[in-house]
């Protein structure tokens, strides 16, 4: 196998195969249901006959595969390559596979699908979203057809009929975008304190935050106070760190958002990234989920219509904890068994619950993957790798990762009581949620 080297911009490489396209067969439109977890979209894709789950990410050019979760997929025409991008290290090994068959639903098919395989299992995001995730798909799904993302109904509509598409977007605000190196860019207005500045941002559906800004690329940038040092996420080559704060206002077209959370990665995290001209950062899922969003890559247009989430406040994880799911384990569940008892006087039966039975079911295990310094959880004594058994009296095995995160973002001053397992000890730890970055004039 021939060794090649690719530089990945922000997350992944810009390698475009004109044959690598999804086509719609025999219908004017097709609808794809999706799961929405922490502002991220996950869709089903069948690769060479195997059903898999992919993160939908406008911030990537290529289709990536990094986990099969005990499934076997036969891939064709495989060759070895190297990847590099956002994070600290320069490169990791991987493979590229051409001419695979990808299907989405009954009407979308790609008969020449290229897939990039990531061998570094630390890149597997499944434990951080709570469902099996096999890969990431971006540009090649968007490039040929207008695509509507309805965050309220959790449905994606791919249009194969321009007239139908035009009718559906009549009440949307239309904005110009530029498709550069296979990714969409939009001019927005960022108001740090009291002055609007036009800023070119990547529309990044693979980023769950509201906004990312790159201080090193913004003239006379001054961090708003208060701000905190924080773990921002995992990039292609490693963990990404920087600051979090709030800005005064953020504008997209005629839409205004007040005091949105903003993440600002440090220079080390973006040092190997080749950015397009004038880019200042990204707008992510926490902003986009407030709209029904329509991407029209062929005509370089974006269409927006506010949904019921538009006025939601920008809540922060006030615990200071990052969580992950550490697989599943068998647990006992107590089940009530209803029996029928005869009523001799009336010859009728009555229902009575007089028996119980244990059954074993698979349930998730959650642990702490990181603790922000000086956060409420840190001051209370919680540590990385603590296994969480109960939160406020409820078993975590009956929760989802998303439910746990919702609790940590709920409201300032909320009391949290956790029962955790730390090696051989079971400990009860209490703290209160506290917003470390309220906007200050």
């Amino acid at each position: 196998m021939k060794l090649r080297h690719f530089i990945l911009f922000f997350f992944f490489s810009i390698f475009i195969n004109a044959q690598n396209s999804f086509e719609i067969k025999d219908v004017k439109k097709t609808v794809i249901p999706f799961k929405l977890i922490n502002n991220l979209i996950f869709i089903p894709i069948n690769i060479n006959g195997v059903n898999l789950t992919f993160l939908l990410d406008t911030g990537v050019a290529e289709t990536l595969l990094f986990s099969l979760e005990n499934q076997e997929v036969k891939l064709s025409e495989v060759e070895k390559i190297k990847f590099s991008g956002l994070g600290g290290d320069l490169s990791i090994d991987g493979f590229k596979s051409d001419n695979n068959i990808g299907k989405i639903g009954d009407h979308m098919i790609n008969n020449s699908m290229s897939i990039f395989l990531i061998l570094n299992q630390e890149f597997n995001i499944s434990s951080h979203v709570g469902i099996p995730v096999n890969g990431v798909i971006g540009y090649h799904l968007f490039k040929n057809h207008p695509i509507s993302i309805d965050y309220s109904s959790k449905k994606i509509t791919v249009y194969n009929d321009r007239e139908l598409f035009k009718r559906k977007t009549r009440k949307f605000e239309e904005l110009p975008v530029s498709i550069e190196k296979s990714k969409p860019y939009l001019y927005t207005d960022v108001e740090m304190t009291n002055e609007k500045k036009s800023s070119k941002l990547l529309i990044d559906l693979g980023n769950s935050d509201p906004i990312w800004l790159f201080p090193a690329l913004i003239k006379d940038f001054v961090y708003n106070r208060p701000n905190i040092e924080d773990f921002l996420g995992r990039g292609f080559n490693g963990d990404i760190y920087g600051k979090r704060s709030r800005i005064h206002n953020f504008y997209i077209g005629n839409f205004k958002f007040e005091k949105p959370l903003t993440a600002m990665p440090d220079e080390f995290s973006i040092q190997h990234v080749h950015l397009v001209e004038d880019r200042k950062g990204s707008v992510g899922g926490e902003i986009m989920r407030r709209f029904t969003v329509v991407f029209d890559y062929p005509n370089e247009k974006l269409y927006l219509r506010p949904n019921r989430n538009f006025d939601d406040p920008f809540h922060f994880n006030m615990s200071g904890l990052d969580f992950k799911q550490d697989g599943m384990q068998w647990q006992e569940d107590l089940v009530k068994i209803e029996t029928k008892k005869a009523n001799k006087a009336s010859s009728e039966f009555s229902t009575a619950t007089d028996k119980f039975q244990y059954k074993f079911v698979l349930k998730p295990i959650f642990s702490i993957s990181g603790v922000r310094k000086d956060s409420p959880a840190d001051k209370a004594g919680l540590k990385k790798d603590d296994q969480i058994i109960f939160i406020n009296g409820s078993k975590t095995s009956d929760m989802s990762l998303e439910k746990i995160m919702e609790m940590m973002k709920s409201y300032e001053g909320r009391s949290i009581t956790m029962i955790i397992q730390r090696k051989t000890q079971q400990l009860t730890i209490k703290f209160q949620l506290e917003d470390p970055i309220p906007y200050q004039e």
Side-chain angles (χ1 to χ4, degrees):
M1 289 183 289
K2 185 171 66 173
L3 181 67
R4 294 191 291 175
H5 183 77
F6 290 84
I7 301 297
L8 282 88
F9 305 110
F10 207 164
F11 281 101
F12 309 108
S13 69
I14 310 301
F15 183 87
I16 302 173
N17 182 343
Q19 303 294 316
N20 184 10
S21 302
F22 277 92
E23 302 297 337
I24 298 178
K25 304 293 184 182
D26 307 321
V27 291
K28 293 183 177 181
K29 67 176 184 179
T30 187
V31 177
I32 307 165
F34 66 83
K35 292 182 179 179
L36 184 66
I37 301 173
N38 193 27
N39 304 326
L40 302 177
I41 294 170
F42 300 91
I43 63 172
I45 303 181
N46 183 290
I47 306 293
N48 296 342
V50 179
N51 293 323
L52 302 173
T53 299
F54 281 71
L55 168 66
L56 184 64
D57 187 355
T58 50
V60 305
E62 294 306 326
T63 304
L64 306 167
L65 189 64
F66 47 72
S67 170
L68 291 176
E69 303 289 340
N70 299 319
Q71 298 190 80
E72 183 178 340
V73 180
K74 294 181 179 179
L75 299 172
S76 63
E77 301 181 26
V78 178
E79 61 179 322
K80 193 173 183 180
I81 61 173
K82 281 187 178 290
F83 298 99
S84 66
L86 188 64
D89 299 329
L90 283 175
S91 64
I92 62 174
D93 291 327
F95 294 89
K96 178 175 179 283
S97 172
D98 288 322
N99 292 316
N100 299 284
I101 297 175
K103 295 180 180 179
I104 304 176
D106 296 326
H107 302 288
M108 290 194 75
I109 187 168
N110 183 343
N111 286 310
S112 58
M113 191 173 187
S114 294
I115 298 172
F116 292 80
L117 287 78
I118 311 301
L119 301 183
N120 185 350
Q121 280 304 298
E122 290 186 5
F123 191 69
N124 187 346
I125 64 173
S126 299
S127 64
H128 296 281
V129 296
I131 64 169
V133 182
N134 307 108
V136 183
I137 190 166
Y139 173 72
H140 295 291
L141 183 61
F142 288 90
K143 68 180 181 180
N144 286 345
H145 303 279
I147 291 182
S148 171
I149 301 173
D150 188 331
Y151 282 89
S152 297
S153 67
K154 297 181 178 61
K155 290 181 180 178
I156 293 170
T157 304
V158 186
Y159 291 94
N160 199 31
D161 183 295
R162 295 296 306 188
E163 292 304 315
L164 176 61
F165 164 69
K166 288 179 182 178
R167 291 199 299 271
K168 293 295 184 181
T169 54
R170 279 181 301 182
K171 296 183 179 180
F172 285 62
E173 179 167 338
E174 177 186 309
L175 298 169
V177 295
S178 59
I179 308 302
E180 302 177 46
K181 297 178 178 175
S182 307
K183 301 172 189 179
Y185 292 85
L186 173 72
Y187 275 95
T188 67
D189 286 313
V190 175
E191 188 177 295
M192 295 291 293
T193 53
N194 52 26
E195 180 185 356
K196 280 187 187 180
K197 290 188 177 180
S198 179
S199 303
K200 181 180 179 180
L201 304 183
L202 169 69
I203 305 172
D204 188 359
L205 297 187
N207 184 339
S208 63
D209 286 326
I211 306 161
W212 277 30
L213 296 176
F214 301 151
L217 304 180
I218 301 173
K219 186 179 179 181
D220 300 325
F221 185 91
V222 178
Y223 290 100
N224 284 359
R225 295 187 177 276
N227 59 67
I228 57 170
E229 298 285 343
D230 200 12
F231 169 72
L232 304 183
R234 180 158 180 81
F236 189 76
N237 302 76
D239 293 337
I240 304 166
Y241 294 92
K243 292 181 181 290
R244 290 191 192 274
S245 186
R246 293 180 189 268
I247 61 174
H248 189 217
N249 291 310
F250 178 68
Y251 303 84
I252 297 179
N254 292 316
F255 303 109
K256 175 183 176 181
F257 299 96
E258 296 181 1
K259 300 175 180 60
L261 291 160
T262 305
M264 294 149 286
D266 59 30
E267 291 185 53
F268 179 74
S269 295
I270 63 171
Q271 64 178 329
H272 303 304
V273 182
H274 293 251
L275 302 173
V276 300
E277 186 177 2
D278 293 332
R279 180 185 170 188
K280 306 302 182 187
S282 305
V283 53
E286 176 62 20
I287 293 286
M288 303 313 290
R289 74 169 183 86
R290 297 157 190 264
F291 299 96
T292 296
V293 183
V294 184
F295 292 93
D296 184 3
Y297 276 32
N299 292 292
E300 296 193 305
K301 298 289 185 181
L302 178 74
Y303 299 82
L304 299 175
R305 186 176 67 185
N307 62 24
R308 63 185 182 222
N309 304 316
F310 185 82
D311 292 321
D312 286 356
F314 290 92
H315 283 158
F316 183 63
N317 174 1
M318 293 175 278
S319 68
L321 295 173
D322 293 307
F323 304 93
K324 66 176 180 177
Q325 182 175 327
D326 286 327
M328 310 283 283
Q329 69 179 4
W330 292 100
Q331 290 188 6
E332 287 183 338
D333 257 15
L334 187 62
V335 180
K336 295 179 180 179
I337 301 175
E338 292 186 346
T339 59
K340 300 287 186 180
K341 290 186 176 180
N343 186 326
K344 293 180 180 179
S346 62
S347 299
E348 294 180 351
F349 288 90
S350 61
T351 301
T353 304
D354 60 359
K355 284 190 176 182
F356 297 89
Q357 180 177 315
Y358 284 98
K359 70 174 183 178
F360 286 89
V361 294
L362 275 173
K363 294 196 172 184
I365 307 168
F366 298 106
S367 67
I368 296 170
S369 59
V371 184
R372 189 180 73 245
K373 186 179 179 182
D374 296 328
S375 65
D378 180 42
K379 292 175 181 177
L382 285 162
K383 296 182 179 181
K384 183 179 178 181
D385 298 326
D386 286 345
Q387 184 179 326
I388 308 165
I389 312 299
F390 287 89
I391 300 179
N392 287 3
S394 298
K395 285 184 179 180
T396 55
S397 57
D398 293 328
M399 298 180 183
S400 65
L401 199 58
E402 188 172 23
K403 178 65 176 177
I404 293 173
M405 286 301 299
E406 285 176 0
M407 294 178 70
M408 301 304 117
K409 292 180 178 182
S410 53
Y411 57 89
E412 190 168 19
R414 181 176 186 176
S415 295
I416 301 293
T417 301
M418 288 187 177
I419 297 178
I420 59 104
Q421 187 75 36
R422 181 180 296 164
K423 296 182 180 178
T424 60
Q425 288 183 297
Q426 194 166 100
L427 305 172
T428 299
I429 296 179
K430 299 180 180 182
F431 59 90
Q432 286 188 323
L433 299 182
E434 179 184 342
D435 185 356
I437 48 173
Y439 180 79
Q440 296 178 358
E441 296 289 352

